[in-house]
Amino acid sequence: MYTRANDDLIHTRRNGLLSAFTLLLLLSGCTPSDEPSDDLTQAASIAPEGLRYFGYYQADRADETRAVADHSNTLIAEIGFTDSEFARFRDQNLKIFLSLAPIFFEWDPSCPCHVFRRDTADAEWDKQKDVIRRNSDVIEAFIPIDEPEFSRFPGSEETEPLRRREGLERIAALVRRDVPGAKMAVNFWSSTVHLFERVPREFERRYPPSYDFVGTEDYEEAFDARLYEKLMALTASVRNPPPEVYLVPKAFINDGSSRFPQPDGQQGLITRHLEPALAFARADPRVVGFFAFLYRTLGEQGAQLRGLNEQPEALAWMRRTGGGSGGTTPTPPQPNPNPTPQPPAGPTAPIRLASGLCLDVNAACMNENGCNVQVWSCNGAAQQAWSLDGGTLRNANGKCVDVHAPCMSENGCNVQIWDCNGTPQQSWTLQNGTLRNAGGKCLDVHAPCMNENGCNAQVWDCNAAPQQSWTPTPTGPNPTPNPTPNPTPNPTPNPTPEPPPASTGPVRSASGLCLDVHAPCMNENGCNVQVWSCSGAAQQTWSLVGGTLRNANGKCVDVHAPCMSENGCNVQVWDCNGTPQQSWTFQNGALRNAGGQCLDVHAPCMSENGCNVQVWSCNAAAQQSWTR
């Protein structure tokens, strides 16, 4: 198995800076002729079924791009930042995942590793940003460095993973500032995924949450689907929506040493790596790209490693798979995989709790992933229309009732809506009046407020109690829908609260996540409060003003009034109104409400993005510890 300590040659090439000679060659444009091929195809239409991106980890010289353009539509490339370099890809109808390593990192042979240009990163970016902006039509995504584990950011060894993550987020902020809408990608080696398996919370310390794509580079003796399943499970809970995934399977032969053995040669490369990886990619809609690893080898490594260009059988497999002159007719364009289902075909109807209230999704965000589920007076509105369809509980817009995955087997785990995706947290069956999830828990309403509008939905051990008794009904009794009623008593309305003072900032939990309000409805009453990776975004900006905790838009953190003195009562944002459920004091690291309860993160998922915030008896536990 691959280890960093004993393979400096691959590390030198893999992270793109290569030798000084190779880098100078690429940046100077000293490549074979840039004359376009006489037989170009519309490569953008070529990709195996179900994938958006198909090509090579590296095929970025002029002769190579011509050779692969008939069966590829995307490359992971490192090029010189000139208009002519970008024009080559445009002429070949190729998009690129662009490596930014030469801008942000420099090679340090004493590690050996790539070191972040702490003092000059912004200046280096400023030198290149104009040409990058002019050619953004060619760029599908940006890769700051292809493997962050083989890089160093300022900081002690103990905090380096977190420093790496913060450094990558700094690069993303810089790129997105100057290239609006830019997508960011990060790669992990298979050895790093093994580390994620062994060390709890290590993935969260290393993954930059704002990144759109996660790439996986495989150094196993054969493609290991289990590793990718593990990585995809980890990424499923780090952001809304989860990042998309692309695979970089091992596609080279090592002739010069015992590392990375490939005893069955070119055909083994196909059967042990490429075909299993492609099957995995086609089977999961979150996998959107497939890049064969190493089209070629460079420099002194050529004596040991053979890329696909030196392996006729493997190269023919790529052509057959992607289409083009080397194989079958190119695959026609495939639509972008769409995780959002069509609205259910069956009839929709309210689902009534024993208390007489109906299952309801917050109207302000009912079409958005992560929108909170509650109960409300039955009113026939769209946010109360549900259907049991194929083992899922879907709303009128085709979203599924979903249990927060990291705590789905724990009492009190929060319930939301999400794109239907066939996962266990979205699997429900109606049994004797209860809605039972695949995790073995039942859909439950917080008992102290089960008769009150806005009472939060959760899962709990099945117990046949009234708060778990549900009945599908044909209609609701209220002919006048009230899509955004106000559950919070408002004796002193303040519809236009004063803006918070300048001393605003994040409120951080002991797990390192930040107090966060669900972004799609952050300006709406009743929007749910949770924790999320700290990002500096507006939904994480808070200030303590006159005993209230206000967000950047002047909404106040509010405890659902009917249960404000009860453990597990849900927390939301609401117009500031001076009521006790909005009164908070900061005491010894705890945020204490006027009801005597403390702001609390649901313990089983307190380190996971999207974990629900509630109130609980003050107990000085980690889930009640907050810092500003």
Side-chain angles (χ1 to χ4, degrees):
M1 158 138 187
Y2 166 78
T3 59
R4 291 201 304 274
N6 60 5
D7 200 349
D8 296 345
L9 291 178
I10 277 191
H11 290 161
T12 304
R13 195 222 65 78
R14 284 200 62 269
N15 284 279
L17 297 186
L18 314 172
S19 64
F21 171 79
T22 305
L23 179 58
L24 287 172
L25 191 66
L26 289 173
L27 295 180
S28 65
C30 295
T31 60
S33 169
D34 285 0
E35 289 297 321
S37 168
D38 293 332
D39 186 26
L40 296 180
T41 62
Q42 292 296 316
S45 68
I46 299 169
E49 182 179 358
L51 297 179
R52 295 208 301 273
Y53 312 117
F54 181 78
Y56 292 84
Y57 173 85
Q58 189 165 6
D60 42 30
R61 300 190 314 208
D63 57 332
E64 295 165 351
T65 57
R66 288 197 302 271
V68 303
D70 67 338
H71 61 278
S72 301
N73 65 6
T74 324
L75 302 173
I76 298 176
E78 179 179 308
I79 63 173
F81 302 105
T82 66
D83 289 311
S84 61
E85 288 282 274
F86 286 109
R88 287 196 290 104
F89 296 97
R90 186 181 293 108
D91 291 343
Q92 304 286 342
N93 297 295
L94 290 166
K95 293 291 187 73
I96 59 173
F97 280 55
L98 178 64
S99 172
L100 298 176
I103 295 178
F104 291 109
F105 295 88
E106 57 188 350
W107 177 250
D108 182 355
S110 66
C111 295
C113 64
H114 293 104
V115 180
F116 182 65
R117 301 178 191 268
R118 175 176 57 181
D119 299 325
T120 61
D122 289 15
E124 292 294 325
W125 169 254
D126 286 341
K127 292 178 186 176
Q128 309 293 349
K129 67 181 182 183
D130 289 338
V131 68
I132 289 174
R133 210 162 30 196
R134 283 196 301 273
N135 293 282
S136 60
D137 63 302
V138 178
I139 303 168
E140 194 67 32
F142 294 88
I143 302 180
I145 194 164
D146 58 353
E147 170 45 70
E149 299 313 299
F150 193 50
S151 61
R152 191 174 69 205
F153 289 86
S156 68
E157 188 64 31
E158 181 181 354
T159 62
E160 228 173 78
L162 187 56
R163 297 279 184 159
R164 288 191 193 103
R165 189 181 78 175
E166 291 172 348
L168 292 172
E169 290 284 14
R170 174 182 167 185
I171 293 171
L174 205 59
V175 172
R176 288 171 171 148
R177 182 197 70 189
D178 295 318
V179 186
K183 300 288 189 180
M184 303 300 297
V186 63
N187 291 352
F188 291 113
W189 291 328
S190 55
S191 57
T192 308
V193 182
H194 281 298
L195 178 67
F196 296 156
E197 287 191 298
R198 296 193 306 269
V199 182
R201 318 298 329 146
E202 195 63 20
F203 176 75
E204 287 77 0
R205 294 181 69 207
R206 295 170 186 262
Y207 171 73
S210 75
Y211 276 49
D212 307 278
F213 299 98
V214 176
T216 54
E217 298 185 9
D218 191 2
Y219 284 91
E220 303 299 313
E221 288 191 11
F223 179 81
D224 188 350
R226 180 184 57 84
L227 280 178
Y228 298 95
E229 290 166 353
K230 175 68 174 177
L231 185 60
M232 294 184 73
L234 288 166
T235 59
S237 62
V238 297
R239 52 168 285 177
N240 293 338
E244 294 179 311
V245 175
Y246 60 90
L247 305 183
V248 188
K250 177 178 136 181
F252 63 87
I253 291 180
N254 186 337
D255 289 336
S257 75
S258 60
R259 289 192 298 274
F260 319 124
Q262 191 67 55
D264 36 7
Q266 297 181 38
Q267 188 57 43
L269 188 65
I270 296 168
T271 59
R272 291 154 58 90
H273 294 280
L274 296 175
E275 285 183 348
L278 183 65
F280 182 89
R282 283 172 160 163
D284 194 307
R286 280 186 55 207
V287 181
V288 297
F290 180 100
F291 299 99
F293 188 34
L294 287 186
Y295 174 78
R296 60 183 165 96
T297 58
L298 290 177
E300 68 274 14
Q301 295 175 68
Q304 293 188 10
L305 306 178
R306 286 191 285 142
L308 264 67
N309 61 317
E310 300 177 82
Q311 301 173 63
E313 289 183 32
L315 192 56
W317 184 91
M318 287 291 291
R319 287 173 174 154
R320 287 194 304 272
T321 302
S325 60
T328 59
T329 304
T331 305
Q334 297 297 320
N336 185 356
N338 183 1
T340 305
Q342 298 300 314
T348 59
I351 295 179
R352 193 185 299 267
L353 185 65
S355 67
L357 302 185
C358 279
L359 191 68
D360 179 285
V361 62
N362 191 313
C365 58
M366 64 177 290
N367 297 322
E368 302 287 345
N369 285 341
C371 197
N372 208 48
V373 175
Q374 57 194 3
V375 289
W376 206 273
S377 298
C378 300
N379 55 33
Q383 62 265 29
Q384 295 183 1
W386 304 94
S387 65
L388 272 167
D389 185 48
T392 62
L393 183 57
R394 303 190 182 204
N395 74 1
N397 296 301
K399 297 278 185 180
C400 279
V401 174
D402 177 287
V403 186
H404 188 55
C407 58
M408 65 175 288
S409 299
E410 302 285 346
N411 284 340
C413 195
N414 200 49
V415 174
Q416 57 199 353
I417 57 169
W418 206 271
D419 290 331
C420 299
N421 54 30
T423 54
Q425 58 264 30
Q426 296 184 358
S427 178
W428 301 91
T429 55
L430 184 65
Q431 300 178 7
N432 301 319
T434 62
L435 281 161
R436 188 181 296 260
N437 184 257
K441 302 284 178 179
C442 279
L443 187 66
D444 177 286
V445 178
H446 189 55
C449 60
M450 64 175 287
N451 298 316
E452 302 287 344
N453 283 344
C455 195
N456 199 50
Q458 58 191 2
V459 291
W460 205 272
D461 290 333
C462 300
N463 54 28
Q467 62 265 29
Q468 296 183 2
S469 179
W470 303 92
T471 307
T473 58
T475 59
N478 187 349
T480 308
N482 181 11
T484 54
N486 184 345
T488 305
N490 190 1
T492 53
N494 182 5
T496 311
E498 72 273 15
S503 58
T504 58
V507 175
R508 193 182 298 264
S509 74
S511 69
L513 304 184
C514 279
L515 191 68
D516 179 285
V517 62
H518 188 55
C521 59
M522 64 178 287
N523 298 321
E524 302 288 344
N525 286 341
C527 196
N528 206 49
V529 176
Q530 57 193 0
V531 289
W532 205 270
S533 298
C534 301
S535 64
Q539 61 264 30
Q540 296 183 0
T541 301
W542 306 93
S543 61
L544 276 167
V545 181
T548 63
L549 184 58
R550 302 188 183 201
N551 73 3
N553 297 297
K555 296 280 183 181
C556 279
V557 173
D558 178 287
V559 186
H560 188 56
C563 59
M564 65 175 288
S565 298
E566 302 286 344
N567 285 345
C569 195
N570 201 49
V571 174
Q572 57 199 354
V573 292
W574 207 271
D575 289 333
C576 300
N577 53 35
T579 53
Q581 58 264 29
Q582 295 183 0
S583 177
W584 301 92
T585 55
F586 193 62
Q587 300 177 2
N588 301 319
L591 280 161
R592 187 183 295 264
N593 184 261
Q597 304 284 80
C598 278
L599 193 67
D600 178 285
V601 185
H602 189 54
C605 60
M606 65 175 288
S607 299
E608 303 285 347
N609 282 341
C611 194
N612 202 51
V613 172
Q614 58 195 358
V615 291
W616 206 271
S617 300
C618 299
N619 54 27
Q623 59 264 31
Q624 295 183 3
S625 178
W626 304 91
T627 56
R628 300 205 64 205

